[in-house]
Amino acid sequence: MLGNFDVINDTGKTAHGFEIELEGLHASQITDTFGGPGRGFPTGRGFDPASSVVRYGSPIITEYSNGAVFGTRVTYRGVYDGSNWDYGTPSGTFITPGDNCWSGGGVGYSASTPCDHFGVGTSANPVNVTYNWLLETAAAGVLTNGTVTLPAPTWNVVQPPPPPVGQPPAPPVVEAKIVAPVAVDPDRFGPAIWVKVFTTELEDAVGLEELVADNKKVKQAETEIEWQLLQRDPGNPDSGKLESGYGAPVGPKAASILRRYEFFKYAGLYDPETNEALVGSDSHPTPEEIGTYLGAQNAALNLDIAQIPNPPGGRLPEPASAALLLAGLGALRFSRRR
């Protein structure tokens, strides 16, 4: 699984890093990171495209465990010298034409840009993915987690039954899902967000470094869903889910699937008691209902991992893991209480 994304810092505080928590994965299952070594990215810190792609440089990869729960954290972090941080991401609003919050993105990425671009590749699907801005709060030099409203896609492979003797195997059906953010108050509706979805099948494999907006593979993705509203309903455990790929096998020539999700805040009215979005249509927003841009997710899954060249120092999934990293196309299904 490969995923690159822009994310806007709308926490109200300057962040000094960003953390991706991948529950259920070991460090050995992290194959690539945006800005990390082994894929031709510059790994330095700052804003010069000749030496760095993201202000925080190459991330740190560490495993964690909490009883039976384990996982791996990919941490992009500023350096504190006892008095000051070398880099930070200011809070603000920002509209990008795509995944442009990095030094090669073409939008003047600098110290004043309130967004960054991060990414990670894995050889298996995590149980859960959590994003956090890292914020300095009570103690100087000590960072705590700040909420990020940016869902991460998860995938499930449905293998077909064995074919009759002498017949070629049928392609798998692969299901992709994103879920709306959880509510702070479990008795109220959660935050509402708009999502747009783009998708394409490719006849060659995709590398992590290709998951940026100006890449030709990303540009050729076509609109699958123009707009859809996501919101958790405390009375409906199946609410707030956007699912695709059900019943639709991948094409016979597909070597990879690329999906792109763009997220925006819901800016319309809410029910003051329940926090339910009082939207006229789940799929046809009015201009005043579309709020600030939250970020974008580019996710690619390779059907044949072996097609990606293994660069010096690069680590790729073993072929046995490739069956876990499939994605398909199909009709989308959205659940929200009506």
Side-chain angles (χ1 to χ4, degrees):
M1 183 180 76
L2 304 171
N4 273 1
F5 53 93
D6 268 1
V7 58
I8 311 299
N9 178 11
D10 62 352
T11 64
K13 298 178 179 292
T14 296
H16 294 288
F18 190 88
E19 192 166 78
I20 305 169
E21 189 169 286
L22 302 155
E23 182 182 337
L25 294 188
H26 292 290
S28 60
Q29 293 172 297
I30 309 302
T31 60
D32 298 279
T33 57
F34 189 75
R39 277 296 183 188
F41 295 123
T43 58
R45 307 169 70 82
F47 306 98
D48 184 351
S51 58
S52 173
V53 293
V54 63
R55 73 185 84 204
Y56 300 111
S58 184
I60 301 167
I61 299 174
T62 55
E63 292 193 5
Y64 69 89
S65 61
N66 182 13
V69 177
F70 72 94
T72 297
R73 295 186 179 100
V74 177
T75 305
Y76 295 83
R77 185 184 173 101
V79 174
Y80 186 69
D81 65 3
S83 301
N84 299 290
W85 293 93
D86 64 343
Y87 293 106
T89 306
S91 180
T93 59
F94 196 69
I95 298 294
T96 75
D99 304 311
N100 282 201
C101 294
W102 59 293
S103 61
V107 294
Y109 180 64
S110 68
S112 62
T113 307
C115 64
D116 290 293
H117 189 80
F118 304 108
V120 62
T122 69
S123 62
N125 203 37
V127 174
N128 187 44
V129 179
T130 304
Y131 299 139
N132 287 291
W133 285 108
L134 300 179
L135 308 176
E136 185 181 60
T137 54
V142 178
L143 299 178
T144 57
N145 291 344
T147 303
V148 175
T149 309
L150 190 70
T154 58
W155 313 90
N156 179 44
V157 179
V158 180
Q159 295 290 354
V165 176
Q167 297 295 318
V173 173
V174 185
E175 305 160 350
K177 179 173 70 175
I178 58 173
V179 181
V182 298
V184 175
D185 183 343
D187 296 325
R188 289 164 58 85
F189 280 73
I193 59 174
W194 291 105
V195 60
K196 302 178 76 170
V197 185
F198 307 84
T199 189
T200 188
E201 290 188 4
L202 301 166
E203 294 185 13
D204 58 343
V206 177
L208 186 66
E209 69 277 11
E210 296 179 292
L211 295 183
V212 292
D214 61 351
N215 186 273
K216 63 180 181 180
K217 292 181 179 179
V218 176
K219 285 183 175 180
Q220 73 185 64
E222 298 181 354
T223 302
E224 186 174 3
I225 286 293
E226 180 63 26
W227 290 106
Q228 194 63 275
L229 190 74
L230 294 181
Q231 187 180 30
R232 296 275 190 103
D233 175 354
N236 181 2
D238 291 326
S239 65
K241 297 177 182 178
L242 187 66
E243 302 172 327
S244 64
Y246 287 83
V250 298
K253 294 184 179 180
S256 61
I257 307 296
L258 190 151
R259 302 184 67 81
R260 175 178 172 81
Y261 304 87
E262 294 183 355
F263 300 99
F264 299 79
K265 283 186 176 180
Y266 169 72
L269 298 175
Y270 285 88
D271 185 296
E273 294 185 2
T274 66
N275 199 48
E276 181 178 10
L278 301 177
V279 62
S281 170
D282 285 343
S283 57
H284 294 88
T286 59
E288 60 270 18
E289 291 176 332
I290 302 173
T292 56
Y293 175 72
L294 295 171
Q297 285 272 11
N298 282 340
L301 292 97
N302 292 306
L303 308 186
D304 183 2
I305 299 297
Q307 293 186 47
I308 303 178
N310 191 2
R315 293 179 298 165
L316 296 176
E318 296 298 325
S321 300
L324 299 173
L325 309 180
L326 310 177
L329 308 177
L332 280 97
R333 183 171 69 211
F334 172 69
S335 301
R336 199 173 79 93
R337 191 185 73 176
R338 274 295 176 205

